[in-house]
Amino acid sequence: MVSDGPLSGVRVLDVSTILAGPLASSLLGEFGAEVIKVEHPGQGDPARLYPPLEDGVSAAWSMLGRAKRSVTIDLHHDDAAGLVGRLAGTADIVVTNFRPATLRRFRIDFDDLRAHRPDLVMVHVSAFGRTGPYADRPGFARVAEAFAGLTHRTGPPDQPPVFAGYPVADGVTGIYAAFAAMLALRQRDLTGEPQLADIPLYEPLLRMMEDFVVEYGATGESRERQGNQNPHISPNSLYRTRDGRWLALPASTEQMWRRLVAVMGAGDLAVHDSMTARLKHREEIEARVAAFVAAHDLKPLMSLLLEAGVAAGPVNSAADICADPHIRARGSVVEVPDEDGGRPRLMQAPAGRFSGFDSTVGRGAPGLGQHTTEVLRDLAGLTEPEIDDLYHRGVV
């Protein structure tokens, strides 16, 4: 089944596991691409086993596996490379995240697969990329976050570094890899040449922190941890309300600062009329804003700030998000039935709304190997006896 959308007619072979690579293929699937996920027989993607489990399968799998068909192939088997090659021959894009040496050992690297499709696009996500002295080092999101400097900057200044609350590198790199797939597909369509996109987990994070390296180049000093404070903006922090909630309040522009001063009734603070001045007097300003917020309950304070045109927002839990009227109105959270027709699963909708087309969650998350027979028959062109033989020999 191929959904309508700008990527309708594009086929993606997802030979990746866990988060960054599968997220990239999911994003493509949300806008019309047909996604076929290759998994190891017996256990499948390790993400299927992340707690909490429901009926032996991760609850999160309903999100991670949606909009895909599942095919099982044992990549360690001698006959697996040829089978993956036959599927790659029918695909526009292959997404993978094995280490370079592992791809070579499995005989499913870029040069191997483009023998089956001369104009293939491959998006290769790995910890450190295909080149350089660290190319074959293992790594996950948290390793990449530390390597790129994000972890160095996260946490209170007088305490050890801390991870962000979610493996940011997986999310950022997954989005960047989907973007890279579109760039490579466009270049393939312009030139007719095969394209390889080499995306390390750490590089999109490094690119994202636009001030980090340029500041070091200008000052010779590395930006250190500042907790919730922003190195370039004050006031900008999380402030606790009288009823124990937390409020994000970043006065990122002069206009926002003037509006905040007015709503606080703190005309004496208006003398700090530049960001440089406010950073110089950060301690005084942050204390005054914290005291102002602490004197109000969250709901009436939000009304007061929004009426004054001040950008601010609550720190939401998952329960807050699912109950929020704006999120409900936009459909940012949806219910999607399992592929087997089971109970609906609550999950995030595709991000963004577009004038000329719609995104779609598509099919629910598949069972392990649920589509192996139909994909090998319909796409790889194998006969029923040939497929039975592959099952018998443990290839699939």
Side-chain angles (χ1 to χ4, degrees):
M1 180 181 69
V2 180
S3 61
D4 294 332
L7 298 182
S8 181
V10 173
R11 182 173 292 141
V12 179
L13 186 64
D14 179 356
V15 193
S16 63
T17 62
I18 314 295
L19 294 180
L23 172 58
S25 65
S26 289
L27 292 173
L28 301 177
E30 288 172 3
F31 294 95
E34 176 190 7
V35 182
I36 299 167
K37 181 172 179 62
V38 174
E39 302 187 71
H40 190 77
Q43 70 178 56
D45 190 317
R48 286 180 179 269
L49 300 178
Y50 283 179
L53 302 181
E54 294 181 343
D55 299 324
V57 178
S58 173
W61 179 248
S62 60
M63 176 76 181
L64 301 173
R66 72 187 192 186
K68 301 179 183 182
R69 290 193 284 174
S70 172
V71 173
T72 53
I73 301 176
D74 184 353
L75 298 177
H76 300 86
H77 197 286
D78 288 343
D79 292 338
L83 201 54
V84 173
R86 292 182 74 153
L87 293 177
T90 73
D92 298 281
I93 302 169
V94 171
V95 177
T96 188
N97 64 353
F98 290 103
R99 279 186 271 172
T102 303
L103 287 181
R104 293 192 294 270
R105 187 171 75 252
F106 287 159
R107 294 177 289 122
I108 57 171
D109 203 0
F110 181 55
D111 288 339
D112 300 306
L113 296 185
R114 69 176 178 168
H116 297 269
R117 173 148 187 175
D119 63 349
L120 181 72
V121 169
M122 176 182 273
V123 178
H124 184 190
V125 177
S126 61
F128 294 97
R130 294 172 65 93
T131 61
Y134 304 161
D136 277 313
R137 282 188 181 182
F140 294 103
R142 296 310 195 182
V143 175
E145 290 160 22
F147 186 75
L150 179 64
T151 310
H152 174 79
R153 295 183 60 167
T154 306
D158 57 347
Q159 295 182 31
V162 298
F163 291 137
Y166 178 83
V168 178
D170 280 324
V172 172
T173 305
I175 295 168
Y176 199 94
F179 167 62
M182 293 296 89
L183 295 177
L185 193 64
R186 171 67 170 162
Q187 183 71 358
R188 191 278 301 277
D189 290 346
L190 288 173
T191 66
E193 297 294 324
Q195 303 294 324
L196 172 63
D198 172 14
I199 312 295
L201 276 171
Y202 78 89
E203 277 187 350
L205 282 179
L206 192 59
R207 170 64 183 85
M208 179 183 72
M209 296 187 294
E210 295 177 331
D211 61 344
F212 197 41
V213 173
V214 292
E215 277 195 9
Y216 172 74
T219 67
E221 297 180 358
S222 292
R223 174 66 59 183
E224 299 295 327
R225 291 181 292 286
Q226 292 187 260
N228 289 325
Q229 295 180 351
N230 186 297
H232 310 295
I233 301 168
S234 179
N236 185 319
S237 192
L238 298 177
Y239 306 95
R240 193 165 192 177
T241 63
R242 183 168 57 193
D243 54 348
R245 295 292 303 276
W246 289 93
L247 181 80
L249 204 168
S252 301
T253 66
E254 296 304 313
Q255 185 179 54
M256 283 296 167
W257 167 244
R258 289 191 291 268
R259 292 174 180 174
L260 179 60
V261 167
V263 80
M264 289 174 61
D268 59 307
L269 291 180
V271 66
H272 306 307
D273 60 354
S274 71
M275 199 64 75
T276 300
R278 291 195 289 280
L279 289 172
K280 185 176 180 180
H281 295 88
R282 184 201 294 274
E283 187 173 340
E284 173 197 359
I285 290 170
E286 297 286 355
R288 292 280 294 278
V289 174
F292 168 72
V293 172
H296 297 78
D297 291 342
L298 177 65
K299 189 173 180 179
L301 177 59
M302 278 297 302
S303 297
L304 188 66
L305 292 171
L306 293 176
E307 184 178 354
V310 175
V315 176
N316 281 337
S317 67
D320 296 326
I321 287 168
C322 292
D324 187 271
H326 182 79
I327 287 173
R328 292 203 308 267
R330 277 186 61 87
S332 304
V333 171
V334 294
E335 287 189 341
V336 179
D338 284 344
E339 177 75 349
D340 61 4
R343 69 177 179 83
R345 304 279 183 165
L346 203 61
M347 63 183 70
Q348 301 94 305
R353 303 295 179 268
F354 302 86
S355 62
F357 57 88
D358 293 324
S359 59
T360 178
V361 172
R363 63 173 77 238
L368 178 60
Q370 180 176 342
H371 306 99
T372 301
T373 297
E374 70 179 58
V375 167
L376 295 182
R377 181 189 64 231
D378 299 342
L379 301 186
L382 299 182
T383 65
E384 296 288 346
E386 288 173 325
I387 296 170
D388 289 342
D389 179 61
L390 291 173
Y391 277 113
H392 179 73
R393 295 189 294 112
V395 183
V396 300

